[in-house]
Amino acid sequence: MRISSSTIACLLLLAGPLAAQAQDFPGSRPPLPPRAIPEAALPDPDDELARDAGPATVKPAPNTPTAHTALPLVPFSSARDALRAWMRDSSAGNQVGAVRALEYAASQGHLTAQYKLGKIYAEGEGVPTNDLKAFEYFSKIADENADAIPGTAEGRMVGSAFVALGSYFSDGIKGSYVKPNSDRAFDMFHYAASYFGDPDGQYNLARLYMKGQGTTRDARQAARWMKLAAEKGHAPARAAFGEMLIRGGEGVPRQPVLGLMWLALAREGADPVRESWIIERHDAAFAAASATDRSAALALVERQQVAGARAAGAPTPR
C-alpha cells in the first residue's frame, strides 16, 4: 500500500484533538504527508507456505539493483506462533532461528516483527549488516502505518521507522537505488517530529534547519525543534540547544545561564563512549563561563532535578 496525500490528510483530520494534543507543532508548517518510499518491497510468501513442510526462499525486492539473499522462511501456523519461536530461539541464543521466525511474522504483516528486523539488519545484530534490507522493512512500516496513533507502542515504532528512513535518505545507501536526498530526509524527519513527536526526529529536523538542508536555513525553527527534543531528555538535543543559547544570534536570544544548564543536563544523560563530544563541549563551556554564570546554571540544574524527582514520585536529590 502506498500513502497518498489525500489519505494522510483525511487521517490527520480524523486524528483531530488526539494528534494535536500528543504532538508538537512549533512552527506554522503542518506535518507533511510523506510520499511513498520508492522500490520498497518485502517478500510475499505463497499462500501454501504454511502448509508446505519445506522451506521457502524469499524473493528479492523487484527492480532492486542490489538484490539480497534472505534467510529461508520456516512455515509456522501463524504470526503469533512465529513470535513465540522468536522469543524461544532468542533466549536460547539461536539467532538464525530467531531471525527466521521474525521473517515469517513480518511476511504476515506483523509490525513489531518488521520493526525488529529493520533494527537487526541496520545494526548487524547476529546477521551481516544490510542497510538496504533494513531500509525496505522501515519503508513498508512507514507506507502502511503512517496513521498509527501517536504515543502508543505502535506509534513509537512507526515514528522511529520514519527517523531511520530520514537518516538513510540523508546519506543514501552505497551501491543501491537509495541516493542522498535532502528533501526526502526533511519529509521523513518532519513527519516523525511533528505527527509522532519523536525526539530523534525533532533533533534531526532541527539539524536540517540549522544547515539549510532540504529546507530554508532557519535558526529560530532549529532552536524550537531542538528545545522540544531537549525537554524530552534527548541528550544530544540538550547539548546542541545549550550551545545555541550560549552563542545566541540569528533570532535566538543569548541566554548563557540557561545554555549552561542544558549542557549540564546533557552531560548527565550522555553516553560516555558514543557521546563523548557532549562531555567535551560541556567541559569547554563551563571552563569559559564566569563563576556567577556557572553557579546560577548549577542552581537551575538542581531545581530541574528536584522537579523531575517529584514528578516521578522518587525521593528528591539532596
Side-chain angles (χ1 to χ4, degrees):
M1 184 180 75
R2 296 303 187 200
I3 308 171
S4 67
S5 297
S6 59
T7 299
I8 297 298
C10 291
L11 291 169
L12 290 176
L13 287 174
L14 290 173
L18 175 60
Q21 179 180 6
Q23 306 320 311
D24 306 304
F25 303 96
S28 58
R29 187 174 185 177
L32 295 178
R35 292 162 284 166
I37 313 300
E39 302 294 344
L42 291 180
D44 185 13
D46 297 334
D47 293 337
E48 298 179 355
L49 177 60
R51 299 190 297 274
D52 186 0
T57 302
V58 180
K59 299 177 182 179
N63 303 321
T64 300
T66 54
H68 46 264
T69 303
L71 293 170
L73 289 179
V74 178
F76 297 91
S77 61
S78 65
R80 185 183 296 273
D81 180 40
L83 288 175
R84 282 196 292 264
W86 162 67
M87 295 180 66
R88 181 176 62 250
D89 288 340
S90 295
S91 298
N94 180 6
Q95 186 67 11
V96 172
V99 171
R100 285 175 177 169
L102 281 179
E103 292 275 12
Y104 181 85
S107 73
Q108 302 303 301
H110 197 282
L111 173 61
T112 301
Q114 293 170 352
Y115 178 73
K116 288 187 177 296
L117 281 168
K119 298 289 285 184
I120 284 173
Y121 282 111
E123 299 172 5
E125 296 178 359
V127 297
T129 300
N130 190 326
D131 286 318
L132 182 58
K133 194 164 185 181
F135 174 87
E136 290 173 349
Y137 276 112
F138 291 135
S139 297
K140 187 169 180 67
I141 290 171
D143 280 346
E144 297 183 353
N145 302 276
D147 61 333
I149 299 175
T152 63
E154 291 79 8
R156 286 188 288 272
M157 284 188 285
V158 178
S160 181
F162 272 101
V163 172
L165 290 171
S167 297
Y168 281 126
F169 278 122
S170 292
D171 301 328
I173 299 176
K174 187 176 181 180
S176 80
Y177 58 84
V178 183
K179 306 302 180 184
N181 188 326
S182 58
D183 290 339
R184 297 308 308 277
F186 180 90
D187 285 356
M188 299 298 114
F189 288 140
H190 193 281
Y191 197 70
S194 56
Y195 181 73
F196 289 106
D198 186 283
D200 284 324
Q202 292 169 343
Y203 170 71
N204 283 286
L205 181 62
R207 293 184 65 194
L208 293 186
Y209 273 117
M210 291 172 68
K211 299 175 182 178
Q213 294 180 348
T215 187
T216 303
R217 189 172 184 275
D218 191 328
R220 286 179 63 84
Q221 281 281 39
R224 288 168 177 167
W225 286 110
M226 202 68 81
K227 182 175 185 288
L228 285 171
E231 289 173 340
K232 294 175 182 176
H234 194 281
R238 286 179 163 183
F241 185 53
E243 289 191 317
M244 294 175 79
L245 292 177
I246 291 174
R247 183 172 59 250
E250 297 186 86
V252 179
R254 185 173 184 273
Q255 297 176 286
V257 173
L258 282 177
L260 290 171
M261 179 202 75
W262 282 114
L263 274 166
L265 292 172
R267 171 68 176 82
E268 290 182 353
D271 183 305
V273 177
R274 293 185 298 106
E275 298 169 336
S276 59
W277 64 272
I278 294 178
I279 300 172
E280 293 171 1
R281 295 185 187 182
H282 164 275
D283 294 347
F286 267 79
S290 68
T292 300
D293 285 352
R294 286 197 300 267
S295 178
L298 293 176
L300 289 178
V301 170
E302 185 175 354
R303 287 170 58 182
Q304 289 279 340
Q305 292 171 335
V306 171
R310 285 175 177 169
T316 57
R318 295 181 179 276

